[in-house]
Amino acid sequence: MVCEDPTTVSPSISAVEVLNSMGDGEKYITSDELKEHKKPSDLWISIQGKVYNVTDWAKEHPGGDIPLLNLAGQDVTDAFIAFHPGTAWKHLDKLFTGYHLKDYQVSEVSRDYRKLASGFAKARMFEKKGHGVIYSLCFVSLLLSACVYGVLYSESFWIHMLSGAILGLAWMQIAYLGHDAGHYQMMATRGWNKFAGIFIGNCITGISIAWWKWTHNAHHIACNSLDYDPDLQHLPMLAVSSKLFNSLTSVFYGRQLTFDPLARFFVSYQHYSYYPIMCVARVNLYLQTILLLISNRKIPDRGLNIIGTLIFWTWFPLLVSRLPNWPERVAFVLVSFCVTGIQHVQFTLNHFAARVYVGPPKGNDWFEKQTSGTIDITCSSWMDWFFGGLQFQLEHHLFPRLPRCHLRSISPIVQELCKKHNLPYVSLSFYGANVMTLQTLRTAALQARDLKNPAPQNLVWEAFNTHG
């Protein structure tokens, strides 16, 4: 990539920016001037007060272009620290514009957050992955072996159903490992993490690691933004806020989230349909994987992702076909999906009932947005395997590169930091989180039933719900 000479004035620099220099010989622009550079063709960011032109780099960025586009035109220091190792800093020099941010300031919250991240890095906590990965891989291998044995060597219907449940449990554990690999927590190098992600994600679960990284990075950057976070965009089936009734435009998907009569109907009963939807949510993930892999969007390692997905759609149908009849095959698949549905519930508990907002994420309130948009699940340490470490959702969002074996130990530190700055730290029991999520869904459902709401209506819908 050819980098711009810092001494050369870019055509996109205004005369004010050129003249706005100080006696120390450095050139400066203001935050308002930085905001003018937030288009895909003119994309600037600031890190620790230094301004970088990432227009071309966005196309090659390992985390995709979505995080850079969502945070364009502002200081992104906290997000950069959260997602990048210390070795990434050396790559910034070639992107430096020669400008510094004139009104760059650091809040007390950010100052404490950066100090905490620096302390973890000095203690090499990001590199110390523990033995959890080995234990998890052994456990998953045992589960998959038991499932295959039950299908191939037993004629009992109930053993077959148990095998389906075991497969669902294995998929849950594999998803946690895939999550770790996607955040470069699982293996020692980026290459091995990529291999692990494709092998255990695409090959064993049928869900593309490329799709996961595309959506998950956007989720982390824009946590609980109704129009920027894809993890809250589930119309026509679910809506966590009445703000979605305004048919917001999804910046992530580039289309309108239409709240039409069909969506109103489904949302009106979402507190009843929530668990059944979670039981078959895996079907949507398969569909999303296929749609992404056949799309025109630039996808890292598209070929490997396609091969891995084809491997899944070879072994899984073959396994199911070994069952004696179609009723058992359908039951086997449904049982495996229902067990895996527990994990979909776990994921939604962390965010559905948390605070939401409309609009793009901001770089200067990184810590605050993570605290308001996440909910932790309280559990005993012996249940950590069941939640994959993601019961410490806030801790994970603040330090996404931190291996899960450290999340419990840093939880008290994060709680103290939240208390110091009067920020929420919400931690509920698994039961309590379910109740709170259902209450959130019920509130939105009742609002959707309100016939005075100016969303599109039809006479059939109104008649059906008049006494509902």
Side-chain angles (χ1 to χ4, degrees):
M1 181 179 66
V2 178
C3 295
E4 178 178 54
D5 184 350
T7 62
T8 302
V9 178
S10 167
S12 61
I13 305 295
S14 67
V16 175
E17 291 170 334
V18 175
L19 295 174
N20 196 7
S21 59
M22 303 183 74
D24 56 9
E26 294 182 341
K27 296 183 294 183
Y28 291 85
I29 61 173
T30 65
S31 295
D32 288 337
E33 290 167 333
L34 179 61
K35 290 177 183 177
E36 297 175 5
H37 304 276
K38 57 180 181 181
K39 299 185 294 293
S41 59
D42 180 25
L43 205 167
W44 290 16
I45 58 173
S46 165
I47 299 175
Q48 288 194 335
K50 296 180 72 174
V51 179
Y52 301 94
N53 184 342
V54 294
T55 306
D56 294 329
W57 174 240
K59 303 178 183 69
E60 308 297 330
H61 184 227
D65 59 346
I66 296 295
L68 293 173
L69 291 170
N70 286 354
L71 291 172
Q74 53 186 317
D75 186 83
V76 300
T77 305
D78 288 345
F80 183 85
I81 290 173
F83 285 98
H84 298 85
T87 54
W89 290 88
K90 64 183 179 182
H91 298 291
L92 292 175
D93 290 342
K94 62 183 179 181
L95 306 173
F96 183 45
T97 63
Y99 287 89
H100 293 76
L101 205 56
K102 184 176 182 180
D103 49 353
Y104 173 67
Q105 294 180 334
V106 183
S107 68
E108 287 301 316
V109 178
S110 290
R111 198 181 306 277
D112 285 346
Y113 169 68
R114 296 174 194 182
K115 182 179 180 181
L116 197 58
S118 177
F120 293 163
K122 290 178 180 178
R124 300 187 61 80
M125 292 177 68
F126 296 104
E127 288 79 35
K128 296 177 180 177
K129 305 180 187 299
H131 301 293
V133 171
I134 297 176
Y135 299 150
S136 293
L137 288 173
C138 291
F139 184 43
V140 166
S141 299
L142 181 64
L143 291 173
L144 291 175
S145 299
C147 170
V148 173
Y149 184 87
V151 171
L152 298 183
Y153 296 100
S154 174
E155 298 181 357
S156 168
F157 171 84
W158 294 111
I159 293 296
H160 292 163
M161 295 306 102
L162 177 61
S163 298
I166 291 174
L167 178 60
L169 182 59
W171 279 340
M172 288 177 63
Q173 294 302 310
I174 291 168
Y176 294 137
L177 288 172
H179 178 270
D180 293 346
H183 280 295
Y184 305 121
Q185 302 171 2
M186 184 176 173
M187 299 296 187
T189 66
R190 178 182 167 191
W192 278 110
N193 276 299
K194 179 191 295 185
F195 170 79
I198 292 176
F199 178 72
I200 63 181
N202 298 63
C203 298
I204 302 183
T205 71
I207 299 171
S208 169
I209 190 66
W211 171 84
W212 179 88
K213 292 189 72 172
W214 177 48
T215 59
H216 197 67
N217 287 343
H219 160 67
H220 266 273
I221 291 295
C223 179
N224 273 33
S225 168
L226 292 174
D227 49 342
Y228 280 77
D229 184 354
D231 283 9
L232 294 186
Q233 298 173 359
H234 302 296
L235 284 175
M237 304 306 299
L238 299 169
V240 298
S241 170
S242 60
K243 295 177 181 177
L244 288 166
F245 301 167
N246 297 321
S247 295
L248 299 176
T249 296
S250 168
V251 177
F252 179 80
Y253 290 112
R255 59 176 174 82
Q256 189 177 53
L257 303 172
T258 306
F259 186 70
D260 55 17
L262 181 64
R264 184 196 286 271
F265 173 77
F266 284 128
V267 171
S268 294
Y269 299 96
Q270 64 181 359
H271 49 309
Y272 299 120
S273 63
Y274 168 65
Y275 291 116
I277 289 173
M278 294 299 105
C279 287
V280 294
R282 195 169 193 82
V283 176
N284 179 56
L285 302 188
Y286 293 146
L287 178 61
Q288 293 297 325
T289 287
I290 294 171
L291 290 176
L292 177 65
L293 294 181
I294 65 175
S295 71
N296 294 325
R297 181 177 180 81
K298 183 178 179 180
I299 303 170
D301 306 302
R302 183 194 296 267
L304 292 176
N305 274 269
I306 291 175
I307 292 172
T309 305
L310 289 175
I311 290 174
F312 170 81
W313 287 110
T314 300
W315 76 259
F316 182 53
L318 282 175
L319 179 67
V320 175
S321 69
R322 297 301 300 269
L323 294 167
N325 53 63
W326 276 106
E328 280 198 32
R329 293 167 189 164
V330 172
F332 175 89
V333 172
L334 287 178
V335 168
S336 66
F337 282 12
C338 287
V339 172
T340 313
I342 298 172
Q343 187 173 67
H344 294 289
V345 171
Q346 292 173 336
F347 292 158
T348 57
L349 297 183
N350 292 135
H351 296 286
F352 271 22
R355 196 174 303 169
V356 299
Y357 67 100
V358 176
K362 296 180 180 179
N364 61 359
D365 64 354
W366 171 260
F367 192 98
E368 294 90 332
K369 276 295 191 294
Q370 309 308 317
T371 60
S372 65
T374 57
I375 296 174
D376 281 15
I377 306 298
T378 304
C379 72
S380 300
S381 58
W382 65 272
M383 285 294 290
D384 285 354
W385 68 273
F386 185 70
F387 291 94
L390 297 182
Q391 72 272 31
F392 297 107
Q393 189 69 192
L394 174 56
E395 290 79 2
H396 168 63
H397 266 254
L398 292 174
F399 306 100
R401 294 187 302 108
L402 193 67
R404 66 168 102 160
C405 60
H406 300 302
L407 295 178
R408 182 174 288 275
S409 64
I410 72 165
S411 179
I413 302 172
V414 173
Q415 291 183 48
E416 284 299 317
L417 195 55
C418 291
K419 183 178 180 180
K420 175 181 177 180
H421 295 287
N422 196 29
L423 294 170
Y425 183 95
V426 182
S427 185
L428 305 171
S429 67
F430 185 69
Y431 172 79
N434 273 271
V435 170
M436 192 171 179
T437 297
L438 288 175
Q439 289 175 341
T440 298
L441 294 174
R442 183 177 183 274
T443 297
L446 296 180
Q447 291 171 332
R449 294 184 187 188
D450 183 3
L451 298 182
K452 293 179 291 185
N453 192 301
Q457 303 173 12
N458 61 44
L459 293 177
V460 175
W461 190 94
E462 291 186 8
F464 187 85
N465 285 277
T466 299
H467 304 290

